[in-house]
């Protein structure tokens, strides 16, 4: 027997994703606009790296044997800005997570009011942002102090850098989310986020695939042109106004699902499956 296609209440976190697009799809666009000012420092770092590296590579006044050293020095300077850019982003991120939390738990929200409340929580969580900003800056400094001109070693170093950067960014998102869901000490927050992230790394990788089109476009742009062009500009605009918050929402649903399984089921049973209707096992096949 076919299910009635009329709107039904979600009984799983996966169904909550579909339910958002059926009822409040514009929420993602609104949150994208609210988050954008806090993303500007990180976006400025990306744009500066693309424009600056392109200028150095294409500068005929710089000898070819000097360009590698110039690029490394340029990126080492940029790396330091992560210490400031990540905490600024965290303030806006906290506002987005706060609104998502209320929506996922079906507790009702007023967009601007609750976004501001989340920002205030983000200010209290700034030690987390500075901690991970410092780690990413340290990682980047190490990467761009890697002096080997051997292409094989260099590409291995770039791969390891991208992998570690990705893991640190995941830990940062998870730590910030935990801080907004549970009152816990700084050390316990870091420990719990580490355990939750690495125990479900495969799931986080799948969530991150929604970020792949943006990275692929910018990667092609860099490989082909080594400068900021229409292709990467289009990727920034489209992804900046929808895709990034879309990825955050999917990740948030996944993390709340993991919180239910690992934390709420035993320690906070009043939060277990909060916002869902009925039991997931009762769901019929379409």
């Amino acid at each position: 027997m076919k299910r009635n296609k009329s709107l039904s209440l979600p009984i799983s976190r996966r169904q909550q994703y579909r339910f958002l697009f059926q009822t409040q799809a514009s929420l993602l666009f609104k949150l994208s606009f609210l988050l954008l000012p806090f993303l500007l420092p990180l976006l400025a770092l990306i744009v500066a790296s693309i424009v600056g590296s392109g200028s150095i590579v294409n500068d005929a006044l710089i000898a070819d044997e000097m360009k590698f050293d110039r690029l490394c020095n340029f990126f080492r300077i940029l790396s330091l800005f992560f210490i400031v850019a990540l905490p600024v982003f965290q303030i806006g991120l906290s506002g987005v997570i706060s609104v998502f939390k209320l929506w996922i738990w079906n507790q009702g929200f007023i967009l601007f009011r609750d976004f501001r409340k989340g920002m205030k929580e983000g200010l209290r969580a700034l030690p987390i942002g500075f901690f991970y900003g410092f780690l990413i800056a340290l990682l980047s400094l190490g990467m761009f102090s890697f002096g080997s001109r051997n292409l094989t070693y260099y590409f291995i170093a770039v791969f390891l850098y991208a992998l570690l950067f990705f893991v640190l960014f995941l830990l940062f998102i998870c730590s910030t989310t935990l801080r907004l869901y549970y009152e816990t000490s700084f050390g316990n927050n870091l420990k719990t986020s580490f355990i939750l992230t690495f125990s479900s790394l495969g799931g986080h990788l799948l969530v991150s695939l929604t970020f792949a089109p943006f990275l692929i476009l910018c990667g092609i742009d860099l490989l082909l042109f080594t400068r900021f062009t229409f292709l990467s500009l289009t990727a920034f605009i489209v992804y900046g106004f929808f895709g990034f918050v879309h990825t955050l929402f999917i990740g948030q649903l996944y993390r709340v699902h993991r919180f239910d399984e690992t934390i709420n089921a035993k320690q906070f049973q009043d939060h277990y499956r909060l916002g869902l209707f009925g039991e997931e096992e009762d769901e019929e096949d379409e």
Side-chain angles (χ1 to χ4, degrees):
M1 188 164 106
K2 290 187 178 180
R3 178 187 293 177
N4 188 351
K5 295 299 181 182
S6 61
L7 187 66
S8 58
L9 297 175
I11 62 174
S12 68
R13 301 301 178 194
R14 185 178 301 174
Q15 285 192 8
Q16 279 189 313
Y17 173 80
R18 183 170 58 188
F19 191 71
L20 176 74
F21 283 92
Q22 291 174 331
T23 58
Q24 286 181 294
S26 63
L27 177 63
L28 297 181
F29 289 98
K30 293 173 183 176
L31 287 173
S32 295
F33 278 101
L34 291 175
L35 180 62
L36 184 60
F38 302 94
L39 264 175
L40 289 179
L42 285 176
L43 291 176
L45 272 176
I46 297 172
V47 173
S49 66
I50 295 173
V51 174
S53 60
S55 299
I56 293 172
V57 168
N58 296 313
D59 192 341
L61 298 177
I62 303 176
D64 289 341
E65 59 271 15
M66 295 294 296
K67 287 181 179 179
F68 181 83
D69 293 331
R70 288 283 186 94
L71 282 171
C72 289
N73 289 333
F74 173 69
F75 283 120
R76 277 197 290 267
I77 294 171
L78 281 185
S79 299
L80 297 175
F81 287 94
F82 276 114
I83 300 174
V84 176
L86 204 64
V88 171
F89 168 62
Q90 185 186 30
I91 296 172
L93 175 67
S94 298
V96 172
I97 292 174
S98 181
V99 172
F100 281 156
K101 172 186 171 182
L102 293 171
W103 189 92
I104 291 170
W105 280 359
N106 193 33
Q107 293 182 333
F109 64 89
I110 298 175
L111 183 60
F112 294 107
R113 183 197 67 187
D114 291 307
F115 185 85
R116 285 197 303 271
K117 285 184 178 179
M119 286 172 54
K120 292 178 181 178
E121 288 295 319
L123 289 171
R124 296 173 188 169
L126 278 180
I128 294 172
F130 281 112
F131 175 76
Y132 284 106
F134 175 77
L135 288 183
I136 291 176
L138 198 63
L139 173 68
S140 301
L141 283 170
M143 165 62 198
F144 297 115
S145 297
F146 183 73
S148 176
R149 284 178 163 78
N150 183 296
L151 283 179
T152 301
Y153 291 148
Y154 187 75
F155 282 123
I156 291 173
V158 169
F159 172 77
L160 290 175
Y161 169 75
L163 181 63
L164 290 172
F165 186 98
F166 172 74
V167 170
L168 285 174
F169 194 75
L170 277 182
L171 287 169
F172 162 70
I173 296 287
C174 190
S175 290
T176 303
T177 303
L178 274 170
R179 177 63 180 79
L180 289 165
Y181 277 76
Y182 308 101
E183 287 290 338
T184 183
S185 66
F186 179 76
N188 194 44
N189 177 287
L190 297 182
K191 175 185 173 182
T192 305
S193 64
F194 183 88
I195 293 171
L196 286 174
T197 299
F198 281 94
S199 64
S200 55
L201 196 57
H204 283 103
L205 285 171
L206 288 175
V207 169
S208 301
L209 287 178
T210 58
F211 190 62
F214 171 75
L215 293 178
I216 291 170
L217 283 174
C218 288
I220 292 173
D221 198 33
L222 276 172
L223 289 172
L224 295 181
F225 305 105
T226 323
R227 63 180 187 273
F228 194 67
T229 66
F230 178 76
L231 185 62
S232 53
L233 179 61
T234 303
F236 267 103
I237 293 173
V238 173
Y239 203 83
F241 282 99
F242 177 72
F244 187 65
V245 171
H246 175 249
T247 298
L248 285 177
F249 179 63
I250 297 174
Q252 188 73 3
L253 286 172
Y254 180 68
R255 276 182 284 276
V256 172
H257 169 69
R258 294 289 296 145
F259 292 166
D260 282 342
E261 289 183 336
T262 58
I263 300 175
N264 297 335
K266 296 179 180 179
Q267 300 180 47
F268 301 98
Q269 294 185 3
D270 55 330
H271 291 167
Y272 179 68
R273 289 177 51 81
L274 187 61
L276 299 177
F277 300 84
E279 296 295 330
E280 190 170 356
E281 59 267 24
D282 294 333
E283 182 180 4
E284 298 177 13
D285 294 329
E286 292 186 18

